[in-house]
Amino acid sequence: MIFVGADHAGFELKESIKKYLTTSEISFEDFGAHKLNEKDDYPDFAKLVCEKIQKESDRGILICGTGQGMTIAANKFKGIRASLCWNEETVTVAAKHNDANVLCLPGRLISKELGVKLVKLWLNFEFSGEVRHNRRIEKIRGFEA
Ligand code: RB5
């Protein structure tokens, strides 16, 4: 199950990603925005998605204009490893090395085609499980205590 959320600046890319998930028969839940509202605030959607992931141990996709606000907000939640990705290399490392459970995308800076492609890659990659990457993630977990 994938939980998705976006503010107004990520709204259109979120809708394209939802189309991709639907045609690929990948289950998802949309935490909004449910309509375009220039006045909405990205932390509200980050909160909804991250709290759901904390309960259900699933993954999420968060989109705002640059992806930075969503990444900052999401990483405040215990157990969340949110990575801002904008190309193949960043999404590869986010999945294989960082074991990112939240993919953050910059809706204003990448095309919808690229956004969908990055989601597809992220969903198909797996954490490498290598000792050095586990060790690094454990060190980050230690910050949460
Ligand atoms: C909204 O205008 C914009 O600030 C927001 O989407 C995001 O880019 C923040 O990081």
Side-chain angles (χ1 to χ4, degrees):
M1 173 67 86
I2 308 294
F3 304 119
V4 298
D7 72 353
H8 55 279
F11 183 79
E12 281 187 26
L13 177 54
K14 173 168 72 64
E15 295 308 298
S16 299
I17 288 168
K18 279 166 58 184
K19 268 185 213 146
Y20 163 70
L21 294 173
T22 304
T23 51
S24 305
E25 297 183 0
I26 297 168
S27 307
F28 68 90
E29 195 175 336
D30 183 1
F31 283 83
H34 299 293
K35 59 180 186 200
L36 193 59
N37 170 10
E38 294 293 331
K39 291 186 176 156
D40 64 16
D41 299 324
Y42 62 83
D44 297 333
F45 306 107
K47 182 173 191 289
L48 292 171
V49 166
C50 292
E51 286 180 344
K52 188 72 176 170
I53 294 170
Q54 285 178 322
K55 278 192 209 120
E56 317 252 329
S57 297
D58 268 310
R59 294 195 277 180
I61 299 169
L62 290 169
I63 312 159
C64 63
T66 62
Q68 301 203 81
M70 285 296 200
T71 310
I72 292 167
N75 280 314
K76 296 288 182 194
F77 290 80
K78 193 171 180 176
I80 298 297
R81 291 178 304 283
S83 287
L84 173 57
C85 298
W86 59 91
N87 61 16
E88 262 187 63
E89 190 176 357
T90 49
V91 85
T92 303
V93 172
K96 295 188 176 178
H97 295 193
N98 308 124
D99 196 17
N101 52 8
V102 174
L103 173 68
C104 295
L105 296 171
R108 281 185 176 148
L109 306 179
I110 59 173
S111 66
K112 291 188 193 63
E113 292 71 26
L114 178 57
V116 169
K117 183 178 172 188
L118 296 180
V119 167
K120 200 169 169 178
L121 287 170
W122 180 64
L123 292 175
N124 282 300
F125 286 145
E126 277 182 18
F127 177 50
S128 72
E130 286 174 63
V131 172
R132 66 196 164 117
H133 296 309
N134 266 316
R135 182 181 67 237
R136 291 162 190 168
I137 289 169
E138 277 311 312
K139 286 186 179 186
I140 295 169
R141 273 203 192 102
F143 302 158
E144 295 176 339

